[in-house]
Amino acid sequence: MGEENIKKENGFKIKIPEELPLLALKNSVVFPQLATPLVIGRVKSIEAVKSASREHQIIVVTAQKEEGKENITKEDLYEIGTACAIRQLVNVSPNEIKCIVEGIARVRIKYFTQIDPYFRVFIEVLEDEPYEKDEEVENLITTIRMQVEKFIQLGIPLPTAFVVAATNVNEPGVQADLFASYLLSNLKQKQEILEKTNIKEKLKKLTEFLGEELRKLEIQSQIRDKVQKEVGKTQREYYLRQQLKAIKEELGEYDESIALTRELEKKLQKKNLPKEAREKVEKEIKRLETIPSTSPEYSYIRTYVDWMLEVPWTEKTEDTLDLEKAKKTLDDDHYDLEKVKEHILDYLAVRKLKGSSTKGPILCFVGPPGVGKTSLGQSIAKSLGRKFIRMSLGGIRDEAEIRGHRRTYVGALPGRIIQGLAQVGVNNPVFMLDEIDKIGMDFRGDPSSALLEVLDPEQNNSFRDHYLEVPYDLSNVMFITTANILDTIHPALRDRMEIIEIPGYSTEEKVHIAEKFLIPKQQKEQGIEKYNIKFKREAILLIIEEYTREAGVRNLEREISNICKKIARNIVEGKKPPKLITAKKVREYLGVARTQPSEIEDKNRVGVATGLAYTPVGGDIILIESTKYKGSGNLILTGKLGDVMQESAKAAISYVRSRAKELGINEDTFSKSDIHIHVPSGAVPKDGPSAGVAITASLVSTFTGIPVIRDVGMTGEITLRGRVLPIGGLKEKLLAAKRAGLKKVILPEKNKKDLEEVPQHILKGLNLLFVNNIDEVIKNALERNPFIEEVVLGKEKDEDQMEVEKASKIVSPLQA
């Protein structure tokens, strides 16, 4: 053992050995002159304390740099620590010791003499530097005392021993250590105060650290006061509210919330709800009684209960099961549409036989704009004696529009289906979902997938709206959807619906609709029905052919409305209204014609064939032109043709080349000529396979030089072997043929069965020819049969010579 350090304390000399055991502290600093209780649990620390208690009852205590670190080395310890006397030692357990140490002197670790099983160090005692108690020191001490008073004012709990010591200790250095030990929370700041031997610097640093600590405590105090104030206000309001409630009960009065809950309970008793829904509402009403009316949750629950009581769970209307009356209602409102009317009457008949357990049908009306799909839904509701709801699905992108929002969201509401049912107040209306083909989809979900449950008769008896949170029976609802095209409808959704196609109207049908429905309606709306103004048939035909171009009658109604408005204006201006609207009057009122009807060629031409097409606004004719000129066998396709139509053109060329000998075409012509196929109206996209027949006829005409008969229309898909395959939109195409003035229409043989659905007035005046092979088309579409031409084999002819020979063989009917 080296020389001993002698420290004077309270008039006594304490000998401090130069080599002592070392105790490392995880998260505290021990200062000289202060007693500190310690709990020791690390093996090294326990061994060091036991060794010190056997030797001199003195131990070096120092803080470790990293708080909480278990396994430490000498590099982890601060160089400055405190030599402490062990005043009390208690063995709590084999792995834990409690002791009280009292700081004797500040010491510096010179070096370590032992690492295991515990630290031993060689030390030197550090004395405070001499100082003069000048004005600066006095000011620093005063500042520190004022800071300590602020700590006490802020309500920081301090032990009695601290208050006594702070009052009795006059030595600035000891005071600084005392205040740092009790008032600073940061370990590094405490260590910095411990290491200072210059009193002025120590006091300055302590003032700085106490100021930082005070700022933190003041902010915490402000927050705490604010919270307590809010809590106190809430408690006070609750207490007063409870007192007010008790007073009102004594007076026989009830407050607003109790009156509301009792009113809701009365409504619940009158309402016939399913068991699960009733239990849910009762539970929410009980919650209302316990929640203050000022709470945001109160309004959420009240809104939910209101919706649950407003939704029609069992309320329904009685169906009108009189088939004659229902048929009359449908006929009065809509012309033709026999297929739809029969379907509704069939449903009514089944309902009459079976009773109310019949599931509502799910229909999908598909057709061009303006044919009466939406108004047909209203007529169906009227014929059934049911209420009608219409919901437009166009542009909907959020699944919550169908299923509703969950109640956790602010402003949550049920889906639009439940809202619609609540609006009409019955659970068996006719519910029209308009424009189902225009539903969108984005990150918020896919509404068409949500509709799968709604439009499935096997699932919709337990439809779950996210807002209601209980199953709702939609099986009594008659759902009707409408669409312009089927391609954009989800395949699974399409499979759940019964598709009913509503084609465009013929000119005859439009005239009938205008005379029976549109003209009387518009005369009434424009206030001129009392003047008994009549429209001539030729005037209506002129409006249809030159002022509208559509499959439906929406624009026709608009133009009739414009005429009625001009008549109304003339009446107001004092002019005499006409008694009869003629074609001349129509031109006077509506001005220049807006559309020109599709016209066939004025004479038979080489390379021009008349095809029939189906468009979203009905049928139309298309003129397919082809020509050839000197080149290298290239094919040019123009007219904004789609991929399928381009492939039909290539198939047609392959067929013509394969039959070149039979058609009398020199095979070298194909390699020495470029072929150009064009379909007019180049800005309009065109696609589909049904133009294959017309393209082939046009090409055969071009290569043989035989003109195509101008008033023969044709449609059909072709194969490389020359077979003619069936097509769609037969009624619309025949309508287009009739409008354009065609005399003969060539159709695929397999479309013969579809004629049953085409009204007789459309077929009147049309010569229909059904074919299986393209050869039959060519024989009937061209002015003469190209297959009877003599084929010269083994002899090459130029194109001009062939044209001259063919022309010389033409025999006129008179000569024959």
Side-chain angles (χ1 to χ4, degrees):
M1 186 179 297
E3 295 181 2
E4 294 179 334
N5 296 295
I6 297 174
K7 175 72 177 175
K8 287 185 179 182
E9 186 179 0
N10 297 330
F12 297 96
K13 290 182 180 179
I14 299 175
K15 295 180 180 179
I16 302 173
E18 291 184 318
E19 186 184 10
L20 288 169
L22 182 138
L23 171 63
L25 300 181
K26 290 181 182 178
N27 52 13
S28 62
V29 175
V30 177
F31 287 89
Q33 312 300 322
L34 299 178
T36 308
L38 301 173
V39 178
I40 301 159
R42 288 188 286 198
V43 176
K44 268 189 175 183
S45 301
I46 291 171
E47 291 296 326
V49 171
K50 287 181 178 178
S51 174
S53 62
R54 287 194 300 268
E55 294 175 9
H56 308 285
Q57 298 284 319
I58 296 175
I59 191 168
V60 175
V61 178
T62 187
Q64 61 190 52
K65 296 174 183 176
E66 190 176 341
E67 293 184 40
K69 188 175 180 181
E70 287 293 329
N71 300 315
I72 56 172
T73 62
K74 59 183 181 179
E75 287 78 17
D76 294 324
L77 300 173
Y78 283 110
E79 187 182 358
I80 307 297
T82 306
C84 299
I86 300 173
R87 298 301 185 199
Q88 189 176 337
L89 186 64
V90 178
N91 291 314
V92 179
S93 70
N95 300 323
E96 187 175 291
I97 292 175
K98 286 184 178 180
C99 67
I100 296 175
V101 297
E102 184 180 349
I104 302 170
R106 189 180 287 101
V107 298
R108 183 196 304 276
I109 299 170
K110 296 178 78 174
Y111 55 84
F112 285 77
T113 59
Q114 178 181 305
I115 301 299
D116 291 311
Y118 59 90
F119 291 120
R120 290 186 71 88
V121 292
F122 200 84
I123 62 164
E124 63 173 339
V125 174
L126 297 176
E127 297 289 347
D128 286 340
E129 295 176 13
Y131 71 97
E132 291 183 7
K133 201 167 185 180
D134 56 12
E135 188 178 348
E136 186 179 2
V137 172
E138 289 290 346
N139 289 336
L140 287 169
I141 292 170
T142 304
T143 303
I144 291 169
R145 285 192 174 279
M146 289 171 65
Q147 287 175 323
V148 172
E149 286 177 8
K150 282 189 180 179
F151 273 93
I152 296 168
Q153 288 170 6
L154 287 170
I156 306 302
L158 296 170
T160 309
F162 168 80
V163 178
V164 173
T167 307
N168 297 326
V169 173
N170 295 318
E171 183 63 35
V174 179
Q175 275 187 343
D177 290 343
L178 174 69
F179 296 151
S181 176
Y182 280 98
L183 300 177
L184 296 181
S185 57
N186 189 290
L187 179 70
K188 289 182 180 178
Q189 291 179 352
K190 287 184 178 182
Q191 181 66 29
E192 198 170 338
I193 296 297
L194 177 68
E195 291 178 1
K196 295 290 182 187
T197 56
N198 184 291
I199 296 299
K200 276 189 182 180
E201 288 181 8
K202 180 183 284 193
L203 293 174
K204 285 178 182 178
K205 190 59 71 174
L206 180 62
T207 305
E208 180 186 334
F209 291 157
L210 287 178
E212 289 178 13
E213 199 72 25
L214 271 173
R215 281 191 290 276
K216 289 184 200 171
L217 291 172
E218 283 172 353
I219 292 169
Q220 290 173 9
S221 177
Q222 287 172 5
I223 294 169
R224 188 166 57 250
D225 290 346
K226 195 172 182 180
V227 171
Q228 285 178 347
K229 187 177 179 181
E230 289 296 323
V231 171
K233 183 181 177 184
T234 305
Q235 288 176 339
R236 181 172 173 274
E237 285 178 359
Y238 177 74
Y239 176 69
L240 292 172
R241 205 171 276 113
Q242 291 299 110
Q243 281 187 325
L244 185 62
K245 182 179 174 182
I247 292 167
K248 285 189 175 183
E249 284 179 358
E250 286 294 324
L251 294 171
E253 298 175 1
Y254 300 100
D255 65 4
E256 186 182 344
S257 60
I258 293 176
L260 176 66
T261 53
R262 295 199 176 176
E263 184 186 341
L264 293 174
E265 285 170 354
K266 285 179 184 177
K267 284 184 180 179
L268 181 60
Q269 293 302 320
K270 294 177 184 177
K271 190 89 171 174
N272 187 10
L273 269 69
K275 183 182 177 184
E276 190 176 348
R278 180 173 289 278
E279 288 174 355
K280 182 77 175 173
V281 174
E282 287 174 349
K283 182 181 175 183
E284 295 299 326
I285 290 174
K286 285 179 182 176
R287 285 184 65 197
L288 268 183
E289 294 176 354
T290 60
I291 298 173
S293 58
T294 53
S295 169
E297 194 176 359
Y298 183 89
S299 62
Y300 300 157
I301 296 172
R302 179 178 172 179
T303 305
Y304 173 75
V305 173
D306 285 341
W307 271 111
M308 290 290 282
L309 294 175
E310 194 174 343
V311 170
W313 297 91
T314 55
E315 295 84 354
K316 59 175 67 177
T317 53
E318 291 297 324
D319 285 350
T320 303
L321 300 178
D322 186 341
L323 267 64
E324 288 298 324
K325 186 179 176 183
K327 186 175 187 305
K328 185 177 183 304
T329 303
L330 291 170
D331 287 339
D332 288 345
D333 290 348
H334 285 81
Y335 177 72
D336 197 23
L337 305 178
E338 294 301 325
K339 191 175 179 182
V340 182
K341 294 174 182 177
E342 282 182 16
H343 193 95
I344 300 304
L345 295 174
D346 291 346
Y347 168 71
L348 280 175
V350 173
R351 188 71 189 266
K352 192 169 185 177
L353 290 174
K354 191 177 178 184
S356 59
S357 60
T358 312
K359 290 180 180 176
I362 295 171
L363 309 177
C364 180
F365 297 155
V366 181
V371 295
K373 298 184 295 295
T374 305
S375 60
L376 184 57
Q378 293 174 322
S379 295
I380 290 170
K382 186 178 172 184
S383 66
L384 293 172
R386 293 190 180 189
K387 294 190 176 182
F388 178 76
I389 317 169
R390 178 184 165 276
M391 171 183 169
S392 178
L393 297 176
I396 284 181
R397 295 177 175 272
D398 191 355
E399 179 202 357
E401 294 278 353
I402 308 297
R403 288 189 179 276
H405 299 83
R406 299 193 183 278
R407 287 172 59 198
T408 49
Y409 296 110
V410 175
L413 286 172
R416 288 174 63 182
I417 289 175
I418 297 296
Q419 287 185 43
L421 294 173
Q423 183 183 344
V424 294
V426 292
N427 68 355
N428 66 335
V430 173
F431 204 126
M432 174 158 278
L433 301 172
D434 225 354
E435 313 292 358
I436 199 170
D437 57 329
K438 297 172 183 66
I439 295 178
M441 183 180 82
D442 64 4
F443 64 93
R444 288 167 288 191
D446 182 5
S448 59
S449 298
L451 281 172
L452 293 176
E453 183 185 3
V454 176
L455 299 180
D456 190 340
E458 301 300 323
Q459 296 181 39
N460 65 9
N461 60 349
S462 57
F463 170 69
R464 278 192 176 269
D465 187 278
H466 289 155
Y467 185 81
L468 297 186
E469 297 178 347
V470 291
Y472 187 86
D473 186 2
L474 291 174
S475 61
N476 295 317
V477 180
M478 183 177 185
F479 284 104
I480 298 175
T481 65
T482 70
N484 295 127
I485 52 172
L486 289 172
D487 300 348
T488 56
I489 302 176
H490 194 292
L493 185 59
R494 192 164 63 232
D495 185 57
R496 282 163 164 76
M497 301 182 292
E498 185 173 346
I499 308 295
I500 298 177
E501 293 192 4
I502 302 178
Y505 296 113
S506 66
T507 302
E508 288 296 320
E509 288 170 336
K510 288 182 180 179
V511 170
H512 187 94
I513 292 168
E515 289 176 340
K516 189 176 179 182
F517 298 101
L518 304 182
I519 293 172
K521 177 185 173 185
Q522 286 304 318
Q523 286 182 341
K524 185 178 180 181
E525 284 192 4
Q526 311 309 331
I528 61 171
E529 73 273 17
K530 64 182 179 181
Y531 294 96
N532 198 24
I533 299 167
K534 303 293 183 185
F535 279 69
K536 286 193 75 173
R537 186 180 180 83
E538 64 178 33
I540 300 172
L541 282 170
L542 182 66
I543 298 171
I544 292 168
E545 291 175 358
E546 296 193 17
Y547 292 91
T548 64
R549 184 179 181 82
E550 57 178 347
V553 292
R554 189 170 288 149
N555 286 326
L556 175 59
E557 183 178 7
R558 190 175 292 121
E559 297 303 332
I560 290 170
S561 172
N562 289 337
I563 291 172
C564 292
K565 286 174 183 174
K566 290 191 181 295
I567 293 170
R569 181 182 169 187
N570 289 342
I571 293 169
V572 172
E573 290 175 350
K575 297 176 184 176
K576 188 178 179 181
K579 290 294 180 183
L580 188 65
I581 303 297
T582 61
K584 185 180 178 182
K585 281 287 183 185
V586 168
R587 293 189 189 280
E588 183 183 325
Y589 287 133
L590 298 182
V592 180
R594 294 184 182 86
T595 62
Q596 289 296 327
S598 299
E599 294 180 351
I600 57 176
E601 291 289 311
D602 55 349
K603 64 178 184 177
N604 298 348
R605 296 182 184 275
V606 173
V608 181
T610 306
L612 300 175
Y614 176 76
T615 70
V617 294
D620 201 357
I621 65 165
I622 54 172
L623 298 176
I624 295 174
E625 304 173 348
S626 65
T627 187
K628 65 182 177 65
Y629 47 86
K630 191 173 181 180
S632 55
N634 295 322
L635 172 64
I636 302 168
L637 300 169
T638 56
K640 208 168 186 181
L641 310 185
D643 292 341
V644 177
M645 201 165 179
Q646 290 183 32
E647 289 169 3
S648 293
K650 291 171 184 175
I653 290 216
S654 297
Y655 171 78
V656 173
R657 293 189 69 169
S658 69
R659 302 297 304 276
K661 285 184 180 179
E662 290 88 337
L663 292 167
I665 304 169
N666 191 334
E667 292 185 11
D668 290 342
T669 305
F670 296 102
S671 59
K672 293 179 179 178
S673 304
D674 285 348
I675 303 164
H676 187 163
I677 298 172
H678 176 69
V679 183
S681 299
V684 180
K686 307 167 194 74
D687 206 359
S690 65
V693 164
I695 294 172
T696 307
S698 173
L699 288 170
V700 171
S701 171
T702 297
F703 281 102
T704 61
I706 302 172
V708 182
I709 301 172
R710 70 187 188 89
D711 56 4
V712 174
M714 58 201 84
T715 182
E717 180 181 354
I718 66 159
T719 68
L720 288 175
R721 292 177 294 165
R723 289 176 58 219
V724 178
L725 302 182
I727 46 86
L730 182 62
K731 180 185 173 183
E732 288 79 2
K733 290 179 178 179
L734 290 175
L735 273 171
K738 193 171 180 69
R739 277 199 305 265
L742 297 178
K743 298 292 188 293
K744 181 189 285 188
V745 179
I746 301 172
L747 301 169
E749 179 70 34
K750 291 184 178 178
N751 280 113
K752 200 168 188 177
K753 64 182 187 304
D754 299 327
L755 284 182
E756 295 177 8
E757 296 183 2
V758 181
Q760 286 300 313
H761 65 83
I762 296 176
L763 301 177
K764 188 178 178 181
L766 288 177
N767 179 14
L768 303 183
L769 175 66
F770 294 91
V771 298
N772 283 311
N773 193 280
I774 191 66
D775 291 357
E776 299 173 59
V777 177
I778 294 169
K779 290 173 186 176
N780 287 278
L782 272 62
E783 284 187 351
R784 65 178 188 278
N785 183 358
F787 290 105
I788 64 172
E789 300 291 334
E790 180 182 352
V791 180
V792 181
L793 300 176
K795 182 180 179 182
E796 291 187 8
K797 303 180 181 180
D798 62 24
E799 291 176 22
D800 293 335
Q801 185 181 351
M802 287 181 68
E803 294 292 339
V804 170
E805 288 183 6
K806 286 176 184 175
S808 66
K809 292 180 181 179
I810 298 175
V811 181
S812 70
L814 185 62
Q815 289 173 326

